[in-house]
Structures are given as C-alpha cells and as structure tokens.
Amino acid sequence: MDKYSLILENIKRHIKLTQDEERNFISLLKPIAIKRKEWLLEAGEICKYSCFVTNGCLRGYTIDTNGFEHVLSFAPKNWWIADMYSLISQKPGTIYIQALESTEVQALSKTAQERLYIEIPAFERFFRIITENSLVSFQQRLLDNLSLPAEERYQNFCKRYHGLTDILPAKQVASYIGVTPEFLSKMKHKLLYNSR
Amino acid sequence: MDKYSLILENIKRHIKLTQDEERNFISLLKPIAIKRKEWLLEAGEICKYSCFVTNGCLRGYTIDTNGFEHVLSFAPKNWWIADMYSLISQKPGTIYIQALESTEVQALSKTAQERLYIEIPAFERFFRIITENSLVSFQQRLLDNLSLPAEERYQNFCKRYHGLTDILPAKQVASYIGVTPEFLSKMKHKLLYNSR
DNA sequence: TATATTTCTTAACATACATTAAGTATAATA
DNA sequence: TATTATACTTAATGTATGTTAAGAAATATA
C-alpha cells in the first residue's frame, strides 16, 4: 500500500480518514501512465477525472485562435489537475493536459468523486479546501498579470515554483508568465548581467 | 422573512435545506450597509466575512506599488464576495472592497461559516460548488488576458456582465480588463465607428 | 442653480513587449 | 556516437498599449 502513501498524505493535510475510508477511497483510484509529450486530455474532450500526480510533471494549456499555446498550470508530483470547466459541466473542454516527462497519476473519476462526497462527506471538505487554495493563487496570478511587468512576474514564478524552473523548458515558463520565449531570454540575460 | 428570500434562493440553486436549517442559517447572518464610495474591507485588514450582496454593487480591487488600482471582481446583487486569501489564512489581506453605490450585504462570519459546515454539511457542498465556479471563471479570465487583445476582452466583458457595463464608470471596466481609461475610450470609439 | 469634482475623450508621444529571422546550443533518438 | 529535432539566444524592426496633457462632459455637492 506504499504506492498510495503520497496521495493519502496529501489528503490528510486537510481531513482525517479511518482505515476503512482510506481503503474505500483507494479502491476508487485508477492509475494512468502518460509518456512524455503524450496527452492525458485534449481540448474538445470531456474531462472525466480529477488527477493526482504521483510521479513526473504535467502541464495544462490552451491553444488560441492563432495557434499559440498558453500555460494555465503545471502539475508536478503531489499536485491535482483537471479541466475544471469540463469536469464540472461535463461539456467538451478547452484544455490540453500533456506530460512534460514520463508521468503517473492516480485518477479519480467524476462519478467516483461524487459517490465519495456522499459516502465520506469529509471529501467534500477536502475538495472545497484545495479549490479555495487554487482560487486564491489564480486570483493572485491574475492580479500579477494586471499589475506587474514581465520581469517581476518571472522572478515571482522562480520563487513560487522553486526547483520547477530548472526542470521546465524556458519556453513553458515564458508561456506561463505570458511572454514570448525571445523576450524571456532577453530578461534572463538582463537579470544575470545587472546583478553583478 | 422576505428579506432573506434572495440569499435562500441563491443557496437552493445548489443544495436543499429544511425549514429548521434555513432558520439556523439566517440566524447567523449579519446585515451590513455600505454607503457609496465607502469600504466594506480595506487592504491590511483581516477579512472576517463572506458577504452576499442583497442590493447595490461592490468592487474588489488592489492598489499596486505605483498607486494604480486593479479590479479583481465586481459583486452586484446576488453575488458573493470576500478577500479569499485573507479569509482563509486569517492574515492581513491585499484587497479593498468598496461600494460603487449604496449597498447592502448579508455577512456570514468565518466562525459562523465553520460552524455551518459542521452543523449543516450541505453548506460544505454549497461553498465547494460556488468556489469551483469562481475558479473556472478566474481561470478563463486569466487565459483571456494571456491570449486576447484588449478589444476582445472588452467585448467579452460586455457580454458576460451585460447590464453592468451601463452602470459602471468606464474607468472601472478598463481596470477590470486591464487597460487604461484612455485606451478603453479609444477602443469604444473604434468599435462604434467601425460597426456601421 | 451654481460650483466643484470626477469622469470621459482626444491626440501626440513613449515604451514594453511581439515578430521575424538567423545562428547556436541542447537534448532526443536512431 | 551520429543525426535530427527542439530549444535557446541575439538583434532588427513593428505594434499594442501606456503616458502625459488639456479640454469637454457628466455628476456630486454647496
């Protein structure tokens, strides 16, 4: 049962579960492996799972009408990810979820999640809390985009996602903070050059 | 009990309550009136309430280091508003919540809200659902800011907040979509001029 | 109603960031 | 290891949007 310790610890940060509840929960999970550059979900599909990353790293992104990608979120180990719009509405979504490296998730289907809310009400609390936290960080990110120049958004990203910056291709970071790879490159040069 | 019908209807869109539960819930509410241009909450304070607007309109905004305001959200009648970061963490927040016109809210204190989660677990579900919906719209707004030119963001705003555009000062709309009032003015002129 | 504030508009000028293009480095895969 | 694809950098040029300033319109307050 060691392979479930990461997800159980993640959940126990907010709620307590009995052994029975743990077993019940675990029985609902479905492991999915995604190879580097393959997709867990594509735009146009209906999102059927809340996914918890146990290994590797995913990125959620959209493609705009001009063919440009925009990164909505990264999901490294120990993070949850889904196309929330599609998951809630069960309509075709707009988000691609792709593996940046070979990745494993534990997938909780929408129907399983809803059963969980009824059988173990504490899960309602758990998902309320992680949704609240997610909301707060998206609000902050929006305000950063409205109020900060790209250079400060980059520095904030490096602080908040410390470690991730080393793993991610720079162009993904650029897309996340909302600049072109060329401009990010220029900023990095400037930051290096000016700091000595 | 008619003055509570708006908030009860709002809640019943997602959960069912018994008459006893309704009465229990209502007993926790505290009405607050805010005059035009006055604040329900200021940056630096700790947010103690989730507020439901029964009349009027509020705006939530930050002030950046250069003194510029950035609108995070509008809350007209029938909407909930809070400084989520501060409400969750109970640390000093960064959001000002100001009345755009004379406004009345029903305020649910954080302690009351937590009591509610325990006494009436359906409220856990209610706030999970409205938080999920809020998350989806902030994600979409962020992606719009990353991918759309200001003109399309303005048009989206007009569609999504139809009616609000007529009530709000243009400078507030400009701040919400992330442009200066001068530039919004130019866009409006262009849209008028080009559409005939 | 008159006066003072605030908001809106217009226009000239400034700038942060995008685009294009080409070369270089890095990493994936045979 | 060799080869190929992908990612990164640099630089010239372009553009969406910001800034400043001043007058006009709308709104609040005396």
Side-chain angles (χ1 to χ4, degrees), chain B residues 55-195:
Chain B
N55 236 314
C57 187
L58 301 173
R59 66 188 262 256
Y61 66 96
T62 53
I63 299 182
D64 70 23
T65 44
N66 300 313
F68 290 103
E69 297 182 359
H70 302 278
V71 173
L72 181 64
S73 61
F74 295 113
K77 193 174 178 171
N78 208 20
W79 287 54
W80 291 84
I81 192 169
D83 178 339
M84 280 299 282
Y85 164 74
S86 174
L87 186 70
I88 291 172
S89 66
Q90 288 294 292
K91 291 179 192 166
T94 57
I95 307 289
Y96 296 82
I97 299 180
Q98 187 190 40
L100 290 168
E101 52 191 275
S102 182
T103 298
E104 289 160 37
V105 305
Q106 291 291 348
L108 178 68
S109 75
K110 181 173 168 90
T111 50
Q113 190 166 349
E114 281 174 349
R115 205 176 322 142
L116 218 44
Y117 291 149
I118 293 165
E119 291 175 6
I120 313 175
F123 271 98
E124 194 101 58
R125 167 172 298 237
F126 174 75
F127 284 102
R128 172 182 61 79
I129 291 170
I130 68 171
T131 306
E132 283 174 353
N133 292 337
S134 182
L135 175 62
V136 167
S137 57
F138 272 99
Q139 285 184 343
Q140 190 53 56
R141 186 168 158 210
L142 177 68
L143 287 172
D144 284 358
N145 275 282
L146 291 174
S147 62
L148 301 179
E151 205 169 300
E152 286 179 56
R153 298 204 303 276
Y154 175 63
Q155 290 175 312
N156 284 353
F157 180 87
C158 292
K159 272 180 229 157
R160 275 207 268 277
Y161 292 84
H162 192 262
L164 249 193
T165 326
D166 309 322
I167 292 165
L168 296 173
K171 62 180 291 201
Q172 305 294 354
V173 176
S175 170
Y176 182 96
I177 65 176
V179 297
T180 58
E182 293 84 355
F183 191 67
L184 175 57
S185 179
K186 199 189 288 185
M187 288 195 298
K188 283 161 88 171
H189 178 83
K190 187 182 157 201
L191 286 170
L192 251 176
Y193 194 73
N194 285 354
S195 64

Side-chain angles (χ1 to χ4, degrees), chain A:
Chain A
M1 194 154 279
D2 205 7
K3 58 184 284 211
Y4 296 112
S5 61
L6 191 69
I7 192 169
L8 287 173
E9 286 308 312
N10 180 276
I11 287 164
K12 287 185 206 161
R13 292 195 305 193
H14 299 301
I15 60 171
K16 282 183 188 167
L17 294 177
T18 66
Q19 289 245 341
D20 267 4
E21 287 168 340
E22 282 189 13
R23 273 190 286 269
N24 183 353
F25 169 64
I26 282 171
S27 76
L28 299 174
L29 296 174
K30 171 180 163 187
I32 300 179
I34 316 102
K35 287 188 204 136
R36 184 182 143 79
K37 301 212 174 175
E38 292 192 346
W39 288 268
L40 174 59
L41 180 74
E42 296 188 56
E45 298 178 356
I46 291 175
C47 181
K48 302 218 169 305
Y49 300 101
S50 297
C51 292
F52 176 82
V53 177
T54 53
N55 235 315
C57 187
L58 301 173
R59 65 187 262 256
Y61 66 97
T62 54
I63 300 184
D64 69 24
T65 44
N66 299 313
F68 289 102
E69 297 183 357
H70 302 278
V71 173
L72 181 65
S73 61
F74 295 113
K77 193 174 177 171
N78 209 18
W79 286 56
W80 290 85
I81 192 169
D83 178 339
M84 280 299 283
Y85 164 75
S86 174
L87 186 70
I88 291 172
S89 66
Q90 288 295 289
K91 292 181 192 165
T94 57
I95 307 290
Y96 296 82
I97 300 180
Q98 187 191 40
L100 290 166
E101 53 191 274
S102 182
T103 298
E104 289 160 37
V105 306
Q106 292 291 348
L108 179 67
S109 74
K110 181 172 167 89
T111 50
Q113 190 166 348
E114 281 175 347
R115 205 176 321 143
L116 217 46
Y117 290 150
I118 293 165
E119 292 175 6
I120 312 173
F123 272 97
E124 192 102 59
R125 167 173 297 237
F126 174 75
F127 284 102
R128 170 182 63 77
I129 291 171
I130 67 171
T131 305
E132 283 173 353
N133 291 338
S134 183
L135 175 62
V136 167
S137 56
F138 273 99
Q139 285 184 343
Q140 189 55 56
R141 187 168 157 209
L142 177 67
L143 288 173
D144 284 359
N145 275 281
L146 291 174
S147 62
L148 300 179
E151 205 169 301
E152 286 178 58
R153 298 204 303 275
Y154 175 63
Q155 290 175 313
N156 283 353
F157 180 87
C158 293
K159 271 180 228 156
R160 277 207 267 276
Y161 291 84
H162 193 262
L164 249 193
T165 326
D166 309 322
I167 292 163
L168 296 173
K171 61 180 293 203
Q172 305 295 353
V173 176
S175 171
Y176 182 97
I177 65 177
V179 296
T180 57
E182 293 84 354
F183 192 68
L184 175 57
S185 180
K186 198 190 287 186
M187 288 196 298
K188 283 160 88 171
H189 177 83
K190 187 182 155 199
L191 287 169
L192 251 175
Y193 194 74
N194 286 355
S195 65
R196 50 184 73 201

